[in-house]
């Protein structure tokens, strides 16, 4: 039996997240349940269903210290974020206007649940005891949950559940939530590329899914706007509300704390990382925590400049990039 895996879902041929999210057009109709069952379940995930990777973690990643701590914190918080996405997006399944959108969001809910699972499972490979796994993730992520996840998920949920605006909620999730998180995910894949191939593969798999989430979410908004130009002011207002909310969240506190741990940790691996470039022309070892944080922000802006005009809302670029 041969299954033709489309390029964007093929483990070896899919573009990276930044390029894919800027270049690919995919619609909910294309990415239906049958597409997911063949292209993703039997394509992207072949041989990687349980762990999200097909390699091993080097023993030094299990040794206590800043490098391990950076990854444990990152995976724990991302596992909580993905689990929260499952809950939020379940409201999108309920609010979906037709079968195409329903099927697509059912697959996205499964994708996010899988992300949560593989991030969590990798913690076991880093030596977190199975019986303490959930407790430790919840404990270490309590502050992150309260200060970041609660407000952002409350916003996205209320747009679809309370305001009854499915399209608006898709825009919020695509532009404000995943649009902002995607560059951080891309950075993570590149950071861990050599240090822990398993973590990088897990990130790669999540990024392949993410390209689809961003592309389909964009199409849903773009198609709606083309049919209902009168929706534009409401859409812009939601982007503004979402961006304002991001501004109030102390995301930098959490990210920079992890980046500083990573900085300290990578210093012990100068030989391994000697020639490794985080992007062409920039050696990972020479970067600082702040520089990596700024880099992800710059990618967010680049992505907004490419994607928002494509979605039909060029005026939203400024709102995302400058905050006004
Ligand atoms: Fe995800
Ligand atoms: Fe996603």
């Amino acid at each position: 039996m041969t299954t033709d895996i489309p390029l964007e879902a093929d483990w070896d041929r899919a573009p990276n997240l930044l390029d894919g999210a800027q270049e690919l057009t995919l619609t909910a109709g294309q990415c239906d349940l049958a597409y997911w069952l063949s292209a993703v379940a039997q394509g992207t995930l072949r041989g990687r269903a349980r762990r999200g990777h097909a390699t091993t973690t080097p023993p030094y990643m299990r040794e206590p210290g800043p490098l391990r701590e950076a990854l444990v914190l990152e995976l724990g918080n991302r596992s909580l974020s993905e689990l929260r996405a499952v809950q939020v997006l379940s409201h999108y399944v309920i609010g979906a206007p037709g079968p195409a959108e329903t099927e697509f969001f059912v697959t996205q809910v499964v994708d996010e649940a899988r992300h949560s699972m593989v991030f969590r499972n990798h913690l076991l490979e880093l030596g977190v005891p199975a019986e303490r796994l959930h407790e430790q993730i919840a404990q270490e992520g309590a502050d992150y949950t309260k200060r970041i996840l609660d407000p952002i998920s409350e916003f996205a949920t209320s747009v679809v559940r309370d305001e009854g605006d499915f399209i608006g909620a898709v825009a919020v999730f695509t532009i404000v939530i995943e649009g902002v998180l995607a560059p951080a995910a891309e950075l993570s894949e590149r950071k861990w590329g050599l240090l822990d191939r398993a973590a990088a593969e897990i990130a790669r798999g999540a990024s392949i899914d993410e390209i689809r989430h961003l592309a389909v979410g964009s199409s849903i908004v773009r198609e709606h706007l083309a049919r209902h130009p009168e929706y534009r002011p409401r859409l812009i207002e939601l982007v503004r509300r979402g961006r304002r909310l991001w501004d109030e969240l102390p995301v930098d506190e959490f990210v920079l704390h992890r980046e500083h741990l990573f900085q300290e940790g990578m210093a012990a691996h100068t030989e391994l990382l000697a020639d490794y470039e985080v992007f062409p022309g920039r050696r990972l070892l020479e970067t600082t925590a702040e520089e990596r944080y700024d880099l992800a922000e710059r990618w967010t802006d680049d992505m907004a400049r490419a994607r928002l005009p494509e979605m039909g809302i060029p005026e939203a670029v400024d709102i995302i990039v400058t905050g006004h």
Side-chain angles (χ1 to χ4, degrees), residues 220-281:
I220 289 174
V221 175
R222 183 181 59 245
E223 288 169 0
H224 182 82
L225 202 57
R227 282 193 309 270
H228 302 278
E230 72 281 3
Y231 184 71
R232 178 178 304 269
R234 158 81 181 170
L235 179 57
I236 297 300
E237 178 51 30
L238 280 173
V239 173
R240 199 168 271 130
R241 267 168 68 192
R243 180 61 168 83
R244 221 180 291 139
L245 176 60
W246 261 115
D247 265 353
E248 292 165 8
L249 304 181
V251 179
D252 52 340
E253 244 181 69
F254 295 94
V255 176
L256 282 172
H257 175 58
R258 293 200 307 251
E259 288 298 341
H260 284 297
L261 286 168
F262 181 85
Q263 193 74 16
E264 217 185 299
M266 80 170 167
H269 298 273
T270 49
E271 219 163 281
L272 175 68
L273 292 173
D275 302 316
Y276 185 71
E277 295 182 338
V278 67
F279 63 92

Side-chain angles (χ1 to χ4, degrees), residues 9-279:
D10 187 289
W11 187 274
D12 300 307
R13 295 181 306 146
N16 72 45
L17 181 49
L18 299 179
D19 294 338
Q22 291 181 16
E23 289 160 10
L24 272 169
T25 303
L26 295 167
T27 65
Q30 272 171 280
C31 296
D32 59 7
L33 197 50
Y35 170 97
W36 190 91
L37 290 169
S38 56
V40 182
Q42 302 173 72
T44 316
L45 300 180
R46 185 195 296 269
R48 294 181 173 89
R50 183 170 294 278
R51 298 188 305 158
H53 68 84
T55 180
T56 48
T57 299
Y60 58 74
M61 288 305 302
R62 274 187 288 276
E63 286 163 19
L67 194 67
R68 177 180 180 276
E69 201 187 328
L71 187 55
V72 166
L73 270 178
E74 178 185 331
L75 293 172
N77 284 1
R78 288 181 75 188
S79 176
L80 290 171
S81 308
E82 301 284 355
L83 207 53
R84 188 59 71 93
V86 168
Q87 295 169 338
V88 172
L89 292 168
S90 294
H91 291 281
Y92 290 45
V93 174
I94 297 168
E101 294 86 353
T102 305
E103 287 191 13
F104 173 74
F105 277 100
V106 165
T107 68
Q108 186 170 344
V109 164
V110 176
D111 288 333
E112 312 297 13
R114 184 189 80 82
H115 298 165
S116 183
M117 172 191 75
V118 291
F119 291 150
R120 214 162 48 225
N121 285 349
H122 192 41
L123 288 175
L124 300 174
E125 297 176 309
L126 297 176
V128 176
E131 63 279 8
R132 286 205 43 232
L133 183 63
H134 299 291
E135 192 194 333
Q136 179 176 323
I137 293 175
Q139 250 170 27
E140 289 188 344
D143 206 27
Y144 181 74
T145 298
K146 201 171 90 210
R147 295 170 69 201
I148 308 286
L149 295 182
D150 285 352
I152 202 79
S153 61
E154 180 50 35
F155 174 52
T157 303
S158 71
V159 173
V160 62
R161 184 194 56 199
D162 308 332
E163 299 176 31
D165 184 355
F166 172 78
I167 298 295
V170 173
V172 165
F173 212 87
T174 305
I175 301 169
V176 184
I177 302 181
E178 301 210 294
V180 172
L181 294 179
E186 173 75 22
L187 179 64
S188 172
E189 183 183 337
R190 298 187 191 199
K191 260 170 51 188
W192 294 107
L194 257 193
L195 288 165
D196 183 3
R197 275 184 205 282
E201 276 203 15
I202 286 168
R204 162 82 174 154
S207 290
I208 291 176
D209 294 337
E210 213 46 58
I211 292 173
R212 188 169 61 254
H213 301 165
L214 287 165
V216 173
S218 299
S219 290
I220 289 174
V221 175
R222 183 181 59 245
E223 288 169 0
H224 182 82
L225 202 57
R227 282 193 309 270
H228 302 278
E230 72 281 3
Y231 184 71
R232 178 178 304 269
R234 158 81 181 170
L235 179 57
I236 297 300
E237 178 51 30
L238 280 173
V239 173
R240 199 168 271 130
R241 267 168 68 192
R243 180 61 168 83
R244 221 180 291 139
L245 176 60
W246 261 115
D247 265 353
E248 292 165 8
L249 304 181
V251 179
D252 52 340
E253 244 181 69
F254 295 94
V255 176
L256 282 172
H257 175 58
R258 293 200 307 251
E259 288 298 341
H260 284 297
L261 286 168
F262 181 85
Q263 193 74 16
E264 217 185 299
M266 80 170 167
H269 298 273
T270 49
E271 219 163 281
L272 175 68
L273 292 173
D275 302 316
Y276 185 71
E277 295 182 338
V278 67
F279 63 92

